[in-house]
């Protein structure tokens, strides 16, 4: 090792002890207040760094890494990484990691909470009661849709999709249908109690549809006016994936005109901005991207990201091999800038 310690940038305030943990091994530049980093700010902050710890709010591509000649490792605190231009990182030899597994159950819990809240009109009922409207009660006030005995649809059947399927099948006795890029092996389908169907069949058959697929250019607005028109008008739509999967204006139109009964969104097309048309609707539950937001899970996510970051800087038990590398091929084909323990790396510029 050279005598220079690796330099690391932390893009947002995380937990109180996060920077201290990193500072045991690295020279850390931290960000003390929640900050919206534009491209210029990212370029400037990345320029001298060996590694960075970022959230999904930091969008990093070719422009942002152009001057970051020492950057070896980007640890993203989150499982989704559509904020990263992976081909650009690959071309530069920069390894990136995410935080799968630790947030699966917490995010599935949120998906199910939103489903129950939207289908049974919980938030709308709360507002109505607080508005002093109980005196206007009638037998048909706040009629919602059942979960038990209904058909649950899941679009995207990765870890979180499977955790939602288990909840629906084993917990609520729901029939569970899913659509995914690839069908699960039969024993896995059986374990989660879900059956594979085509996309159109999924839309048409389910009473409740939960979106949990990774966001890519191919599935931008996959839930558009045409897709919504295929759903039952009594159905519930839940999006806990990424905002761009749903055409929000088409959703507003369907909810406002009785073509979809209810919805819940945790993610939006233009976070943190929420369309006024969504805010104006009663039959939608809106939460501010809190899918993984339990204390234990957010702590676990930061720990996983820290471990990956340090590994990418040649430090710790996984030195040179970040466990959750999303472009691990750079490690096997030798194009990674990554640091391997014991090698002099921090003075090496490409
Ligand atoms: C965020 C998420 O990471 O993991 C993901 O993909 O969307 C969330 O867990 C979290 O909100 C922190 O930004």
């Amino acid at each position: 090792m050279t005598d220079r310690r690796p330099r690391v940038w932390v893009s947002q305030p995380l937990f109180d002890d996060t920077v201290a943990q990193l500072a045991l091994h690295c020279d850390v530049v931290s960000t003390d207040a929640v900050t919206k980093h534009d491209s210029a700010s990212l370029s400037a902050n990345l320029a001298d760094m060996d590694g960075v710890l970022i959230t999904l709010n930091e969008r990093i591509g070719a422009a942002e890494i152009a001057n970051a000649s020492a950057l070896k490792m980007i640890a993203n605190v989150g499982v989704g990484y559509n904020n990263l231009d992976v081909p650009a990182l690959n071309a530069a030899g920069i390894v990136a990691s995410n935080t799968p597994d630790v947030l699966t159950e917490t995010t599935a819990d949120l998906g199910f909470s939103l489903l129950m809240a939207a289908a049974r009109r919980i938030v709308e009922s709360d507002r109505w009661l607080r508005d002093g409207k109980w005196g206007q009660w009638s037998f048909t006030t706040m009629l919602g849709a059942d979960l038990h005995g209904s058909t649950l649809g899941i679009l995207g059947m990765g870890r979180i999709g499977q955790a939602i399927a288990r909840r629906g099948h084993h917990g609520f006795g729901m029939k569970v249908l899913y659509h995914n890029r690839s069908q699960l092996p039969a024993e896995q389908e059986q374990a989660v109690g879900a059956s594979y169907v085509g996309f159109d069949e999924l839309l048409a058959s389910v009473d409740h549809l939960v979106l949990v697929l990774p966001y890519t250019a191919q599935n931008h607005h996959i839930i558009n006016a045409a897709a919504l028109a295929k759903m039952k008008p009594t159905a519930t739509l839940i999006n806990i994936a990424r905002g761009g999967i749903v055409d929000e204006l088409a959703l507003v139109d369907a909810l406002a005109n009785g073509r979809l009964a209810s919805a819940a969104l945790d993610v939006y097309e233009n976070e943190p901005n929420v369309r006024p048309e969504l805010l104006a609707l009663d039959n939608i539950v809106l939460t501010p991207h809190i899918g993984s937001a339990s204390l234990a899970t957010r702590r676990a996510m930061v720990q996983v990201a820290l471990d990956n970051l340090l590994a990418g800087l040649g430090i710790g038990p996984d030195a040179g091999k970040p466990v959750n590398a999303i472009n691990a091929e750079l490690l096997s084909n030798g194009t990674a800038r990554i640091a391997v323990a014991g090698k002099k790396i921090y003075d090496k510029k490409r």
Side-chain angles (χ1 to χ4, degrees):
M1 283 284 189
T2 74
D3 43 15
R4 177 162 95 64
R5 301 198 327 153
R7 279 189 285 255
V8 161
W9 180 57
V10 182
S11 67
Q12 302 290 343
L14 298 168
F15 289 104
D16 288 349
D17 54 355
T18 306
V19 169
Q21 279 197 62
L22 273 175
L24 295 174
H25 311 278
C26 311
D27 290 342
V28 186
V29 176
S30 60
T31 308
D32 295 332
V34 175
T35 306
K36 181 152 181 39
H37 297 287
D38 60 14
S39 179
S41 159
L42 289 167
S43 299
N45 279 297
L46 264 48
D48 288 327
M49 296 298 153
D50 296 293
V52 293
L53 191 66
I54 58 158
T55 71
L56 60 84
N57 298 316
E58 284 71 64
R59 305 189 70 81
I60 298 183
E64 291 72 25
I65 57 172
N67 296 319
S69 55
L71 187 61
K72 298 157 191 68
M73 183 69 208
I74 297 177
N76 197 43
V77 186
V79 66
Y81 51 86
N82 57 301
N83 54 319
L84 302 177
D85 180 342
V86 179
L89 301 185
N90 289 347
I94 298 170
V95 174
S97 64
N98 67 344
T99 63
D101 301 317
V102 290
L103 48 62
T104 299
E105 299 299 329
T106 297
T107 308
D109 281 351
L110 194 269
F112 231 86
S113 309
L114 290 179
L115 172 54
M116 295 172 80
R120 291 302 305 272
R121 304 173 66 174
I122 304 292
V123 177
E124 192 185 349
S125 293
D126 178 280
R127 258 193 317 260
W128 187 83
L129 179 152
R130 288 172 201 263
D131 286 349
K133 294 186 177 160
W134 203 343
Q136 301 164 27
W137 180 89
S138 82
F139 196 63
T140 54
T141 294
M142 294 294 160
L143 298 185
D146 280 324
L147 268 69
H148 74 273
S150 69
T151 300
L152 172 63
I154 301 176
L155 185 59
M157 201 55 154
R159 304 172 189 85
I160 301 171
Q162 292 175 44
I164 290 172
R166 277 192 273 105
R167 281 161 177 74
H169 176 70
H170 297 296
F172 283 76
M174 298 164 98
K175 173 177 175 185
V176 183
L177 302 177
Y178 76 97
H179 182 73
N180 195 39
R181 271 172 307 185
S182 49
Q183 186 170 358
L184 296 181
E187 59 281 11
Q188 219 169 326
E189 284 189 342
Q190 215 176 349
V192 300
S195 307
Y196 182 86
V197 291
F199 180 56
D200 283 352
E201 188 181 343
L202 183 81
L203 294 173
S205 329
V206 301
D207 299 305
H208 311 286
L209 179 61
V210 182
L211 309 176
V212 257
L213 64 172
Y215 180 50
T216 61
Q218 290 73 44
N219 61 32
H220 177 74
H221 283 189
I222 190 167
I223 302 298
N224 54 17
L228 290 164
K230 291 178 184 148
M231 293 179 67
K232 297 181 186 178
T234 50
T236 315
L237 177 73
I238 311 298
N239 188 7
I240 57 169
R242 287 291 183 265
I245 289 169
V246 175
D247 178 343
E248 287 176 354
L249 287 179
L251 176 64
V252 167
D253 194 42
L255 287 169
N257 293 299
R259 287 199 284 356
L260 189 72
S262 61
L265 301 180
D266 186 49
V267 290
Y268 304 84
E269 289 196 69
N270 189 23
E271 297 177 13
N273 304 309
V274 180
R275 286 181 195 280
E277 296 91 333
L278 288 170
L279 296 171
L281 289 171
D282 268 332
N283 51 347
I284 188 164
V285 177
L286 304 169
T287 51
H289 205 144
I290 58 166
S292 63
S294 75
L295 176 59
T297 291
R298 283 281 168 84
R299 286 210 72 101
M301 290 165 69
V302 171
Q303 196 56 54
V304 168
L306 280 177
D307 291 347
N308 278 282
L309 179 57
L310 292 175
L313 298 175
I315 298 162
D318 300 315
K321 297 188 200 87
V323 178
N324 305 112
I326 59 183
N327 48 357
E329 68 276 13
L330 301 194
L331 299 170
S332 44
N333 68 19
T335 58
R337 296 178 183 178
I338 210 152
V340 177
K343 295 259 176 75
K344 290 179 78 172
I345 48 153
Y346 296 118
D347 53 358
K348 189 161 120 193
K349 298 263 176 183
R350 282 165 69 102

